[in-house]
Amino acid sequence: MVTVATASDLQTALESARGYEIDMDGVLYRGDAGLPHVNDFLQSLDRCGIPYVLATNNSTRSPEQYVEKLAKMGVSVRAERILTSGQATAARMKAKYPRGTSVYVLGMQALEDAVFGDDYFVPATTNAEVVASGADFEVTYDKLRIATLAIRRGAGFVATNPDTTFPSEEGLIPGAGAILAALVAATSVEPEVIGKPSTGMLVQGAALLGTQPAETVMLGDRLDTDILAGNRAGFITLMVLTGVSTLEELKTSDVQPDVVVPDLAPLVEYYRSRA
């Protein structure tokens, strides 16, 4: 039976932990509402000398915008500690496509900035050689039309993440995966997905931390992205019940974390005892 962790469970699971990759939506906040114990948890990691990266599938904001968002919740984090799927997608595209490749971005300004910010890629529309898709809170039929035409004409197709839903203070709303579903239905082409549950972003994060997979914790709220990606990458997987996936889902899922906590409070207590 799946249960939340005891102090002994945490001791066993986290004894070898030397760094954290922490999801944000559903772990640190829901929408614009901060979740409990965030500052205490991050400060406890700092006191114990354990580095962390905030690794989010959400590509709608830049690291600097996330710094501002967190600051409004009373959480102080440096931009260098934030890794978005938009950044990871741009890095993957640069490794795969030559300078000057034309790209159509279906996403928010932050994804456009990540892709076009250093002039490596050239903006395009229906004649694009690559389509990059992410969450877009202002998606229109015309944007879907342009992306569909480009993909059907042979453009490469990459996606920041497959999250079908997005946790907000109102509840779950459509995520990047909902837009992907429309494009896949219209083109019959599956994208290369860069964010979780793929492991590329996690590998990039571990490189920033300077940790090996077996000593890196993936802390998230979603079985189908955070935990699955962490398991695939060989990370220690730690799930909180403050976001998307529930204890009931855990009982029937093939994807299982190493340890489950209701929120961040047990982690605060664990690291306080070790400081």
Side-chain angles (χ1 to χ4, degrees):
M1 176 181 292
V2 178
T3 59
V4 297
T6 64
S8 176
D9 294 332
L10 286 177
Q11 174 70 29
T12 300
L14 301 179
E15 182 64 32
S16 61
R18 300 293 179 268
Y20 272 74
E21 295 197 32
I22 305 170
D23 183 49
M24 290 197 277
D25 294 301
V27 179
L28 306 186
Y29 52 73
R30 289 181 67 101
D32 291 323
L35 289 168
H37 315 296
V38 173
N39 265 327
D40 288 341
F41 172 57
L42 298 181
Q43 290 168 6
S44 69
L45 292 181
D46 286 336
R47 284 193 297 270
C48 291
I50 297 176
Y52 62 87
V53 168
L54 306 183
T56 177
N57 261 4
N58 190 340
S59 64
T60 63
R61 285 183 169 91
S62 67
E64 292 75 18
Q65 288 171 319
Y66 277 114
V67 168
E68 293 176 7
K69 177 183 175 78
L70 289 165
K72 291 177 181 177
M73 301 174 190
V75 180
S76 178
V77 177
R78 300 192 309 272
E80 311 88 80
R81 277 184 156 169
I82 298 174
L83 177 63
T84 73
S85 63
Q87 292 173 287
T89 297
R92 169 58 180 159
M93 289 168 61
K94 288 174 184 175
K96 186 173 182 179
Y97 300 105
R99 179 179 289 275
T101 297
S102 60
V103 178
Y104 177 66
V105 171
L106 199 172
M108 303 290 281
Q109 186 63 48
L111 181 56
E112 292 191 7
D113 291 344
V115 172
F116 299 125
D118 61 358
D119 297 323
Y120 185 97
F121 294 112
V122 177
T125 56
T126 57
N127 62 335
E129 297 170 280
V130 181
V131 170
S133 178
D136 188 341
F137 298 146
E138 299 173 350
V139 66
T140 63
Y141 183 87
D142 194 50
K143 291 180 180 180
L144 293 170
R145 177 187 65 81
I146 292 169
T148 296
L149 288 172
I151 294 167
R152 293 187 70 89
R153 290 170 181 171
F157 185 15
V158 296
T160 60
N161 71 87
D163 296 3
T164 55
T165 56
F166 183 88
S168 75
E169 61 269 30
E170 297 175 304
L172 296 180
I173 60 176
I179 295 172
L180 282 185
L183 293 177
V184 170
T187 64
S188 300
V189 176
E190 294 288 339
E192 177 185 4
V193 177
I194 307 302
K196 300 167 286 187
S198 297
T199 60
M201 186 165 66
L202 270 63
V203 171
Q204 289 184 38
L208 293 173
L209 293 169
T211 55
Q212 297 300 312
E215 58 187 17
T216 309
V217 179
M218 178 63 240
L219 169 57
D221 68 302
R222 295 185 69 125
L223 287 170
D224 58 344
T225 56
D226 303 320
I227 304 308
L228 180 55
N231 288 345
R232 287 173 171 174
F235 285 17
I236 302 162
T237 50
L238 174 54
M239 182 174 144
V240 289
L241 299 173
T242 51
V244 174
S245 296
T246 66
L247 199 58
E248 286 303 311
E249 290 175 59
L250 271 166
K251 294 176 181 178
T252 58
S253 176
D254 292 333
V255 180
Q256 293 291 311
D258 293 310
V259 65
V260 181
V261 290
D263 54 31
L264 296 175
L267 299 177
V268 174
E269 292 304 313
Y270 173 76
Y271 282 109
R272 276 179 178 166
S273 70
R274 296 171 62 86

